[in-house]
Amino acid sequence: MNFSYKALAADGKTVSGSAEAADRDGLIALLARQKLHPIVIHAEKGKGGLHFSLLKPKVRLTDLVIFTRQLSTMISAGVPLVKALDTLALDTDSKYLRTIIAGVTKDVESGLPLATAFAKYPNAFSRVYINMVKAGESGGILDEILKRLATQVEQDASIKKKIRSAMAYPTVIFVVTIIAFFGIMIFIMPKISSILTGLAGPNAKLPIYTRVLLDISKVMQHYALYIILGTIALIFFTVRYIRTPKGRYQFHYLLLRAPIFKIVVTKIAVARFSRTFASLMSAGVSVLDALDVTGGAVGNLVIEGELKKASEAVRNGRPLSEPLGDSKYFPPIVSQMLSVGEETGQIDTVLVKVADFYDEEVAAVINSLASIIEPVMIVVLGGVVGLIAASVMGPIASLSKNVANQ
């Protein structure tokens, strides 16, 4: 939210300006750290009609990594949490992150846990981030968890970068294909239709695929604008629905059914579970408490549900390796390694190795993604071009030959 304000500086001068804060209290805390005493504060109304949540500001991953590492270092050095947050708010270059840290500091000062304070800013801190901080606070290993979080955020950023890199070329091809298809259907096919009609008359018998393309062309000439607007509306409302609890669960379920995405999502979830659970166990947290906290850190609601079922089984006296062995989404190697850890009393050591293994697996899958997608997209593009060429040039050549023979 944007605010305009007038404030009194330390030297007695009146200062006017505007700033972004989560709420009025967050702005007051931000101004206090700048040694400004607010006199008047007004919330600025948004310009325009609809407010699109997609346009909300976000914290850059690089800024989040730096903040997380610095906070971990200061807590490890024994700096009080409020003092550490206060210092980091002044050090960060991101105005948006500075505002958020000021709000978090105020909440922590009032007695809220750090994870609860972070949860008020979902645009900055993901659900996984918040639950891992919660895990660190529960186990008394916040500094260690923050170190792992910084590494995990870097890994997530690296994965996203690799996915974007792998998808850049296919996306360009796809967009060019769509634009070319619209252009051909709206501008070129009507002229070709008139040529075909001129050569063979309005009752000419054309191949079925040519008739289909001509019919599509007629529809797109009349309804192209509605098709485009409808597609945009569908995308917008789909994104809005996915952000609801029910929509998020269904989206996560679909990801676990998609052939390529299933592999990536499962491996990432297993790596996160293994590493977070190992950290909690090494800190002496009970299995049940570790499962309850770790469930929210895997990043997938369906797999989180599996962990809740596993927690119930453990509560009923079964070892954790058994329900995970029955799970649809945890690979057999996880339950087997976990069983070894339970027998030897080294669950944390075993799970760290599992996490390292699956981190390498994720990197390998992402690296091979581009080599799979690019040729597929080229084949698809070639198929579309070939279909259009056959639908257009074939009838023209045939009709031209008939006219010449006459």
Side-chain angles (χ1 to χ4, degrees):
M1 184 179 292
N2 290 322
F3 293 91
S4 59
Y5 63 85
K6 286 185 179 180
L8 192 65
D11 57 3
K13 294 182 179 180
T14 301
V15 178
S16 299
S18 61
E20 185 177 294
D23 51 28
R24 186 178 295 267
D25 291 337
L27 177 65
I28 293 174
L30 178 63
L31 294 176
R33 281 159 182 75
Q34 297 175 358
K35 301 191 182 302
L36 296 174
H37 179 72
I39 303 172
V40 179
I41 296 176
H42 291 294
E44 296 180 354
K45 295 183 179 180
K47 298 178 180 179
L50 294 174
H51 174 73
F52 294 94
S53 58
L54 295 175
L55 301 179
K56 288 182 179 178
K58 291 185 178 181
V59 175
R60 293 183 305 171
L61 288 177
T62 52
D63 292 331
L64 186 60
V65 169
I66 292 172
F67 164 75
T68 306
R69 287 203 183 281
Q70 289 178 336
L71 182 60
S72 170
T73 302
M74 297 182 78
I75 292 174
S76 299
V79 179
L81 181 57
V82 173
K83 176 63 176 176
L85 290 170
D86 232 350
T87 303
L88 293 178
L90 297 175
D91 287 346
T92 181
D93 295 329
S94 170
K95 293 182 179 179
Y96 183 54
L97 181 58
R98 188 182 307 132
T99 301
I100 290 173
I101 297 174
V104 170
T105 305
K106 181 178 179 298
D107 289 334
V108 172
E109 284 177 332
S110 67
L112 285 179
L114 182 61
T116 305
F118 281 157
K120 292 186 176 183
Y121 306 93
N123 280 348
F125 306 104
S126 67
R127 191 166 174 270
V128 173
Y129 192 104
I130 294 165
N131 277 283
M132 287 193 68
V133 171
K134 183 180 179 182
E137 290 181 302
S138 300
I141 52 171
L142 183 58
D143 55 339
E144 181 181 341
I145 286 293
L146 287 172
K147 288 178 184 177
R148 295 187 182 278
L149 257 178
T151 302
Q152 185 167 303
V153 171
E154 287 177 331
Q155 289 174 341
D156 289 345
S158 176
I159 290 173
K160 289 180 181 178
K161 185 177 180 180
K162 289 177 180 178
I163 291 176
R164 289 195 192 101
S165 177
M167 292 300 294
Y169 179 68
T171 301
V172 170
I173 293 178
F174 179 76
V175 171
V176 170
T177 302
I178 295 296
I179 294 174
F181 184 77
F182 268 79
I184 291 171
M185 291 297 105
I186 295 174
F187 301 107
I188 298 177
M189 287 303 292
K191 296 180 180 179
I192 292 175
S193 176
S194 63
I195 293 173
L196 293 175
T197 303
L199 289 173
N203 298 320
K205 291 184 178 181
L206 301 173
I208 185 170
Y209 46 84
T210 303
R211 294 200 304 269
V212 169
L213 282 180
L214 291 175
D215 290 339
I216 293 174
S217 174
K218 291 177 183 178
V219 171
M220 294 185 69
Q221 287 178 66
H222 293 90
Y223 303 106
L225 180 60
Y226 298 104
I227 293 172
I228 294 171
L229 292 177
T231 302
I232 294 173
L234 179 63
I235 294 172
F236 175 76
F237 287 110
T238 300
V239 172
R240 290 287 298 272
Y241 178 70
I242 289 175
R243 291 183 176 180
T244 65
K246 182 179 179 181
R248 187 182 299 113
Y249 183 90
Q250 291 178 346
F251 178 65
H252 288 175
Y253 182 81
L254 288 174
L255 285 179
L256 292 173
R257 288 290 179 272
I260 296 177
F261 290 104
K262 175 184 178 179
I263 297 172
V264 177
V265 171
T266 301
K267 291 181 185 296
I268 290 174
V270 170
R272 285 176 175 172
F273 161 77
S274 302
R275 206 173 291 283
T276 306
F277 191 80
S279 298
L280 293 173
M281 293 298 293
S282 64
V285 180
S286 68
V287 174
L288 290 175
D289 290 339
L291 279 174
D292 289 341
V293 175
T294 307
V298 296
N300 187 283
L301 292 179
V302 179
I303 297 178
E304 182 180 342
E306 292 283 309
L307 289 176
K308 288 181 180 178
K309 292 179 182 178
S311 179
E312 287 298 321
V314 172
R315 189 174 280 108
N316 292 329
R318 296 176 65 189
L320 179 59
S321 57
E322 291 184 7
L324 289 187
D326 299 333
S327 170
K328 299 177 183 177
Y329 305 109
F330 281 88
I333 188 175
V334 178
S335 61
Q336 293 167 5
M337 295 289 286
L338 191 56
S339 178
V340 173
E342 289 170 340
E343 292 178 3
T344 60
Q346 296 182 332
I347 292 178
D348 52 341
T349 304
V350 169
L351 287 181
V352 167
K353 293 180 180 179
V354 172
D356 290 339
F357 171 76
Y358 277 100
D359 281 337
E360 293 176 2
E361 286 285 297
V362 171
V365 171
I366 297 300
N367 288 334
S368 64
L369 202 58
S371 60
I372 296 174
I373 293 177
E374 287 183 14
V376 170
M377 290 300 298
I378 291 173
V379 170
V380 171
L381 178 59
V384 172
V385 172
L387 177 62
I388 294 175
S391 302
V392 172
M393 301 308 297
I396 290 178
S398 177
L399 292 172
S400 299
K401 184 177 180 181
N402 292 337
V403 171
N405 291 334
Q406 294 175 1

